[in-house]
Amino acid sequence: MYENPTLYTFNNLGGSKKKCDVCATNLVPEPGFYFGAAYVNWALTVVLWVSILVALKTINALGWIDYGFLTHPEKLIFSGIALTLVAFPYMFRLSRSVWAHLFIK
């Protein structure tokens, strides 16, 4: 689906092919088609941050770290931002792929 198969090279990260190599389906049906993928990306980001919160609460319950949502919010913010930056290329491509699978047969 993408011109550049490697994930962590940021030049042409979102450049998608015009047609599928296997079935020749048009992957760019209209200009601005992939703007809707921002909603999918937002949902994936919410899931990521909630899972970070659950992980921090679980690790706190095990006694490995001291974490409280109101007492140590910087741990959630720093770990959330770090994981979001690391997962950005994957989530970007995943959201575009999900959006395309919703509307392209």
Side-chain angles (χ1 to χ4, degrees):
M1 181 170 171
Y2 298 101
E3 292 174 356
N4 188 358
T6 58
L7 194 58
Y8 285 101
T9 54
F10 292 106
N11 52 346
N12 202 12
L13 178 68
S16 58
K17 297 179 181 178
K18 302 295 180 199
K19 296 206 178 279
C20 177
D21 293 337
V22 178
C23 62
T25 301
N26 184 10
L27 295 175
V28 186
E30 60 187 35
F33 173 73
Y34 288 105
F35 284 144
Y39 296 109
V40 177
N41 196 2
W42 173 78
L44 291 173
T45 304
V46 168
V47 168
L48 177 71
W49 279 73
V50 168
S51 63
I52 291 169
L53 178 64
V54 169
L56 286 173
K57 289 293 216 177
T58 303
I59 292 171
N60 181 41
L62 294 173
W64 294 347
I65 63 168
D66 183 29
Y67 173 72
F69 185 71
L70 297 175
T71 57
H72 302 295
E74 68 276 357
K75 289 182 183 175
L76 174 67
I77 293 170
F78 290 142
S79 59
I81 289 173
L83 232 59
T84 302
L85 289 175
V86 168
F88 168 73
Y90 178 73
M91 289 177 53
F92 177 79
R93 286 190 172 186
L94 180 64
S95 64
R96 286 175 63 111
S97 298
V98 168
W99 188 257
H101 279 86
L102 287 173
F103 294 103
I104 300 174
K105 293 183 181 184

